[in-house]
Amino acid sequence: MYKQYTTEFKLEVLLAYENRECTIQELCKRYQITKYSLKQWINELSGLQADEGATLD
């Protein structure tokens, strides 16, 4: 079953991940998410950060 998560929730999880508050396994258990979801969110954030640095010519 696919769950929809709010942007705020994703950012909270990613902040905890960035701050290394716990292991990835503990993080996934705490927030009841899969490692796959975490990986997707990290990739989404990386894409957003790359877009912010892009310039239009």
Side-chain angles (χ1 to χ4, degrees):
M1 186 173 149
Y2 181 74
K3 289 176 97 177
Q4 288 288 99
Y5 297 101
T6 64
T7 301
E8 291 83 10
F9 178 77
K10 290 179 183 181
L11 291 175
E12 179 182 335
V13 172
L14 290 172
L15 184 62
Y17 171 78
E18 287 291 318
N19 289 334
R20 308 277 194 253
E21 292 179 7
C22 55
T23 66
I24 290 175
Q25 290 83 2
E26 292 169 337
L27 187 73
C28 291
K29 187 176 181 179
R30 180 189 302 174
Y31 290 100
Q32 299 181 351
I33 61 170
T34 63
K35 288 183 205 175
Y36 180 77
S37 291
L38 179 59
K39 184 177 178 181
Q40 281 187 312
W41 299 349
I42 292 167
N43 289 337
E44 284 176 23
L45 182 64
S46 295
L48 290 175
Q49 289 175 339
D51 288 345
E52 287 178 3
T55 59
L56 297 174
D57 293 327

